[in-house]
Amino acid sequence: MAYVLFLGGLVVVLAGLTWFASWARKRGRGSAVAGALAAYEEAYRPTSHHAHHEQRAAADRKSELGSPDDL
């Protein structure tokens, strides 16, 4: 019985975290977490940190293009 309660609690916690992650993504609140991970990667994994900056620059370049309808 204890295993069932433990697994049920684990499922509830994971479902809550999944919901929170989707909520944060929809509202753009994931940038603080991304910044904290970037600081960690800068200190301990420099190649991953450089890749993070390249991905951010690529995302910024895509967003500045605009659509052909703007003309």
Side-chain angles (χ1 to χ4, degrees):
M1 182 68 175
Y3 291 116
V4 173
L5 290 175
F6 174 76
L7 289 176
L10 183 63
V11 166
V12 169
V13 168
L14 290 177
L17 290 174
T18 303
W19 171 82
F20 179 72
S22 67
W23 177 83
R25 251 185 260 118
K26 286 179 188 175
R27 287 163 180 73
R29 308 226 193 263
S31 61
V33 174
L37 288 175
Y40 170 79
E41 289 177 350
E42 182 179 7
Y44 294 105
R45 298 188 297 183
T47 56
S48 178
H49 177 70
H50 294 300
H52 170 75
H53 282 288
E54 289 294 325
Q55 290 172 350
R56 296 287 300 186
D60 291 342
R61 282 193 300 268
K62 287 181 185 176
S63 65
E64 293 173 359
L65 291 177
S67 82
D69 294 336
D70 293 338
L71 298 175

